[in-house]
């Protein structure tokens, strides 16, 4: 690869860009920088682009010149962009915000995407080892025995994707799967009476599972057969029941399942975060179980989940790139993004550095409009670096373990997440594990201890809590669409539900997710 001295550079002598050129020029510049950065990152990870080599220096120098040769021009360009009026201004580059920015841009809306930070991801960013060390230890000098910093991609909001789930459908709908590579997750487990077990998801697995006794296996098998055969459009498969009128509790009672069985089915298969589902219509409960079983069957792996190679940090950038391709304008490191309102309390724009961009709607995370959200709790998490997989998970290099609330006498479930060098998120032989739960005390270390103890020896451990917020505003009145904070779950089902609901509120239409699921594949790394 050879780079000419002035490739893709525009001389400052050309003068400031016209306002109508702003989006196209910014998108072009963003795409070029992102493509070259990706080339460098992939080259480093595959060990064929060495720091200090002529090619590495050439790429680094080019990116430096590409950015700074336009600094003065882009200052004028930003002012021109801020003078524009947009359909939507998105504040924050967390995963939810980036997904919405991409979807809205594809719909043909004029989108300006701003972030007060100088990096992508927001609360859902990914950190290398130096960044992780600086965040928790105050310096960027981790022990050498942990390996190279650049080989770590530690997701601050770790979540697996259901192979047939809504997020995968959104990825396919937006056509961003071409920017990502996925790999199946090795195992899905549940904690019961002091031990870790594989989650049985079919009638065959139910008969083999040590979770249940002989007679309970037979009852569970009958229930699994009903779920597998259930088709919404075929009343013959409903066994005379209306799942919109009977509750999940009443459905389960028909099969006389024991409490421990109900526990793992509701929390580890249907992925409910508490027991309130038992008194709600049974249809959603059954659909969740079917989704789990169908996702499990898709790749014939040990779990229904998939995960991107190099971690979730690839997702916000993929949707950011999508938005840029469709004309979205991006501005990072924009301080004091202040939302402006008219006399009726309706959002009309965003002011930063003395300039105001006008808009019809605002999309943002809770940090940008703190007066329009309220605290709904906090998440406690432990972040661990290990040299082994989670014990009793069949040597799984990637796995989820769900500890239902009743097993620990808690009000909320606890989640264990593990990923490793097999997904290119850590050096060879290293594993990244998280223990997360909805905090019920002010002592996260004591609260997380039951989960941490299941991990075995750890090389390093960091503890942290973060507040969770939900919007309280009337978006129809103020035109502000605020995402909810990320919960403690280690799967994306609740997160993407929020995104799809926000999309409908913003656009007034339902997102069409009738896609060909084969467009997203997952396999071993090449």
């Amino acid at each position: 690869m050879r780079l000419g001295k002035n490739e893709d550079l525009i001389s400052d002598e050309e003068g400031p860009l016209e306002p109508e050129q702003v989006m196209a020029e910014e998108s072009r510049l963003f795409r070029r920088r992102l493509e070259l950065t990706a080339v460098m990152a992939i080259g480093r990870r595959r060990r064929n682009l060495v720091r200090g080599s002529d090619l590495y220096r050439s790429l680094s120098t080019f990116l430096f010149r590409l950015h700074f040769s336009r600094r003065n021009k882009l200052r004028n360009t930003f002012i021109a962009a801020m003078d524009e009026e947009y359909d939507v201004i998105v504040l924050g580059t967390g995963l939810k915000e980036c997904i919405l920015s991409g979807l809205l841009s594809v719909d043909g809306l004029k989108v300006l995407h701003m972030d007060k930070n100088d990096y992508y991801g927001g609360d859902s960013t990914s950190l290398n080892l130096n960044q992780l060390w600086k965040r928790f230890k105050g310096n960027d000098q981790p022990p050498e025995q942990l390996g190279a910093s650049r080989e770590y991609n530690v997701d601050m909001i770790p979540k697996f994707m259901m192979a047939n789930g809504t997020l995968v459908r959104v990825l396919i709908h937006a056509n961003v799967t071409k920017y990502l590579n996925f790999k199946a997750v090795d195992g899905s487990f549940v904690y019961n009476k002091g031990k870790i077990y594989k989650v049985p998801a079919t009638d065959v697995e139910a008969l083999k599972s040590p979770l249940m006794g002989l007679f309970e296996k037979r009852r569970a098998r009958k229930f699994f057969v009903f779920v597998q055969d259930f088709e919404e459009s075929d009343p013959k498969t409903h066994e005379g029941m209306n799942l919109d009128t009977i509750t999940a509790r009443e459905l389960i009672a028909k099969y006389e399942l024991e409490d421990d069985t109900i526990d793992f089915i509701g929390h580890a298969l249907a992925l409910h975060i508490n027991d309130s589902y038992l008194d709600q219509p049974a249809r959603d409960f059954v659909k969740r179980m079917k989704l789990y079983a169908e996702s499990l069957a898709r790749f014939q792996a040990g779990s229904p989940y998939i995960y991107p190679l190099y971690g979730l940090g690839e997702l916000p950038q993929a949707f950011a790139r999508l938005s840029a391709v469709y004309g979205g304008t991006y501005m990072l490191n924009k301080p004091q993004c202040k939302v402006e309102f008219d006399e009726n309390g309706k959002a009309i724009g965003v002011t930063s550095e003395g300039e105001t961009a006008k808009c019809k709607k605002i999309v943002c995370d809770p940090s940008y409009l703190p007066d329009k959200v309220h605290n709904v709790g906090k998440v406690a998490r432990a972040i661990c670096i290990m040299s082994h997989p989670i014990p009793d998970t069949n040597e799984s290099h990637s796995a989820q373990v769900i500890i239902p609330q009743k097993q620990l006498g808690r009000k909320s479930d606890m989640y264990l997440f593990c990923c490793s060098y097999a997904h290119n998120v850590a050096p060879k032989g290293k594993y990244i594990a998280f223990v997360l739960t909805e905090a019920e005390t002010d002592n996260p270390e004591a609260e997380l201890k039951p989960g941490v103890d299941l991990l075995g020896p750890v090389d390093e451990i960091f503890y942290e809590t973060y507040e969770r917020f939900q919007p309280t505003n009337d978006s129809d009145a103020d035109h502000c669409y605020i995402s909810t904070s990320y919960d403690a779950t280690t799967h994306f089902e609740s997160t993407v539900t929020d995104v799809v609901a926000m999309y409908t509120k913003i656009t007034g239409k339902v997102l069409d997710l009738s896609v060909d699921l084969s467009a997203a594949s997952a396999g071993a790394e090449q």
Side-chain angles (χ1 to χ4, degrees):
M1 178 179 181
R2 296 186 62 216
L3 301 174
K5 288 186 177 180
N6 295 305
E7 183 181 345
D8 252 336
L9 300 181
I10 298 179
S11 168
D12 287 335
E13 295 177 0
E14 296 176 6
L17 297 172
E18 294 297 323
E20 60 268 19
Q21 296 176 287
V22 170
M23 286 199 299
E25 181 60 25
E26 279 300 290
S27 297
R28 184 195 65 80
L29 181 61
F30 172 83
R31 290 196 301 273
R32 187 63 171 142
R33 290 175 62 192
L34 187 59
E35 287 164 0
L36 290 175
T37 302
V39 168
M40 295 173 71
I42 293 171
R44 290 199 305 273
R45 286 163 177 161
R46 293 183 177 173
R47 307 298 193 275
N48 57 12
L49 182 61
V50 181
R51 288 182 182 274
S53 67
D54 290 341
L55 177 57
Y56 188 94
R57 283 196 297 268
S58 177
L59 284 167
S60 297
T61 300
F62 177 71
L63 284 171
F64 181 88
R65 286 167 42 242
L66 180 61
H67 178 72
F68 286 99
S69 68
R70 299 193 50 75
R71 182 174 58 184
N72 292 332
K73 176 187 293 296
L74 291 181
R75 184 173 298 163
N76 292 332
T77 297
F78 287 162
I79 293 174
M82 294 293 284
D83 283 341
E84 292 286 295
E85 182 169 354
Y86 297 86
D87 294 312
V88 179
I89 294 180
V90 181
L91 300 177
T93 52
L95 178 59
K96 292 183 181 183
E97 289 71 38
C98 285
I99 292 175
L100 287 166
S101 177
L103 293 175
L104 296 173
S105 295
V106 170
D107 281 353
L109 298 182
K110 189 175 180 180
V111 177
L112 172 62
H113 202 150
M114 304 169 69
D115 197 316
K116 56 193 174 187
N117 299 311
D118 60 357
Y119 57 86
Y120 284 94
D123 290 338
S124 55
T125 191
S126 294
L127 304 179
N128 61 34
L129 185 58
N130 287 347
Q131 292 167 332
L132 186 71
W133 216 257
K134 188 170 185 178
R135 176 167 177 159
F136 291 100
K137 301 285 190 178
N139 64 74
D140 56 0
Q141 300 296 322
E144 291 185 4
Q145 61 265 29
L146 293 179
S149 172
R150 68 178 181 272
E151 295 190 73
Y152 284 86
N153 295 286
V154 183
D155 297 319
M156 289 293 96
I157 305 291
K159 293 180 184 289
F160 292 130
M161 304 178 201
M162 193 74 79
N164 282 13
T166 307
L167 180 56
V168 171
R169 292 177 180 275
V170 170
L171 294 173
I172 296 171
H173 169 85
N175 196 29
V176 299
T177 52
K178 59 188 176 184
Y179 304 137
L180 302 163
N181 291 306
F182 297 93
K183 189 174 181 180
V185 173
D186 291 341
S188 175
F189 301 88
V190 63
Y191 177 88
N192 183 267
K193 295 181 178 178
K195 295 182 179 180
I196 293 176
Y197 298 90
K198 184 184 184 300
V199 177
T202 66
D203 58 320
V204 175
E205 290 186 344
L207 288 176
K208 296 179 180 178
S209 176
L211 265 171
M212 299 169 284
L214 178 62
F215 295 111
E216 182 68 359
K217 286 179 179 180
R218 293 176 179 175
R219 291 189 289 266
R221 179 186 178 278
K222 290 181 181 179
F223 179 62
F224 281 127
V225 168
F226 165 74
V227 172
Q228 289 164 205
D229 292 344
F230 180 83
E231 296 292 341
E232 290 190 86
S233 59
D234 185 1
K236 294 180 182 179
T237 66
H238 299 183
E239 296 188 1
M241 295 180 288
N242 184 344
L243 298 193
D244 291 320
T245 58
I246 71 167
T247 65
R249 189 188 303 277
E250 292 167 335
L251 172 63
I252 292 169
K254 178 180 178 181
Y255 294 89
E256 301 178 333
L257 299 180
E258 297 174 357
D259 287 345
D260 284 340
T261 304
I262 297 170
D263 217 21
F264 82 75
I265 287 177
H267 293 258
L269 262 139
L271 301 179
H272 288 288
I273 61 176
N274 55 49
D275 285 341
S276 63
Y277 76 93
L278 288 169
D279 298 311
Q280 296 171 0
R283 183 178 296 273
D284 180 60
F285 170 59
V286 171
K287 288 173 66 176
R288 283 169 173 253
M289 288 188 64
K290 283 183 68 69
L291 172 62
Y292 188 103
E294 291 166 358
S295 296
L296 180 66
R298 182 173 174 196
F299 296 119
Q300 298 297 313
S303 85
Y305 302 109
I306 60 176
Y307 197 67
L309 293 178
Y310 307 109
L312 295 176
E314 305 291 323
L315 282 178
Q317 295 189 47
F319 278 99
R321 182 175 183 178
L322 174 72
S323 178
V325 167
Y326 280 87
T329 301
Y330 274 77
M331 296 183 183
L332 293 181
N333 200 22
K334 297 294 288 181
Q336 299 175 344
C337 293
K338 180 186 176 186
V339 179
E340 303 290 351
F341 298 89
D342 65 14
E343 63 276 6
N344 297 316
K346 185 174 71 175
I348 56 173
V350 175
T351 297
S352 177
E353 297 180 312
E355 297 293 330
T356 301
K358 298 178 182 178
C359 66
K360 300 171 185 175
K361 296 177 180 179
I362 295 287
V363 175
C364 66
D365 68 49
S367 69
Y368 287 88
L369 288 171
D371 293 339
K372 292 182 178 288
V373 298
H374 71 115
N375 188 304
V376 291
K378 63 181 178 180
V379 172
R381 60 184 171 190
I383 307 165
C384 306
I385 300 174
M386 310 191 303
S387 299
H388 59 85
I390 298 175
D392 302 318
T393 60
N394 303 326
E395 298 295 314
S396 297
H397 284 204
S398 52
Q400 173 182 260
V401 182
I402 294 179
I403 309 176
Q405 58 192 54
K406 289 181 180 178
Q407 297 297 319
L408 299 177
R410 294 175 48 81
K411 300 176 182 177
S412 53
D413 294 351
M414 190 172 292
Y415 301 87
L416 276 61
F417 169 101
C418 181
C419 213
S420 71
Y421 60 94
H423 276 84
N424 298 340
V425 300
K428 185 78 172 178
K430 294 297 181 183
Y431 296 74
I432 305 298
F434 278 74
V435 181
L436 307 100
T437 191
E438 186 72 18
E440 297 175 8
T441 71
D442 292 325
N443 189 346
E445 291 190 32
E447 198 164 354
L448 294 169
K449 188 177 186 304
V452 172
D453 287 346
L454 293 175
L455 299 179
V458 300
D459 300 335
E460 296 289 344
I461 186 166
F462 312 95
Y463 290 95
E464 187 178 49
T465 60
Y466 65 86
E467 304 290 328
R468 288 202 309 113
F469 298 94
Q470 286 184 351
T472 57
N473 64 309
D474 179 357
S475 57
D476 290 334
D478 60 16
H479 290 194
C480 294
Y481 302 85
I482 307 169
S483 62
T484 59
S485 302
Y486 298 96
D487 61 23
T489 61
T490 47
H491 52 79
F492 267 112
E493 295 312 291
S494 57
T495 297
V496 74
T497 297
D498 185 33
V499 171
V500 172
M502 289 180 68
Y503 175 87
T504 298
K505 284 184 179 181
I506 295 165
T507 64
K509 60 184 182 182
V510 176
L511 185 63
D512 181 11
L513 296 177
S514 54
V515 298
D516 178 9
L517 285 166
S518 65
S521 60
E525 183 187 5
Q526 300 296 316

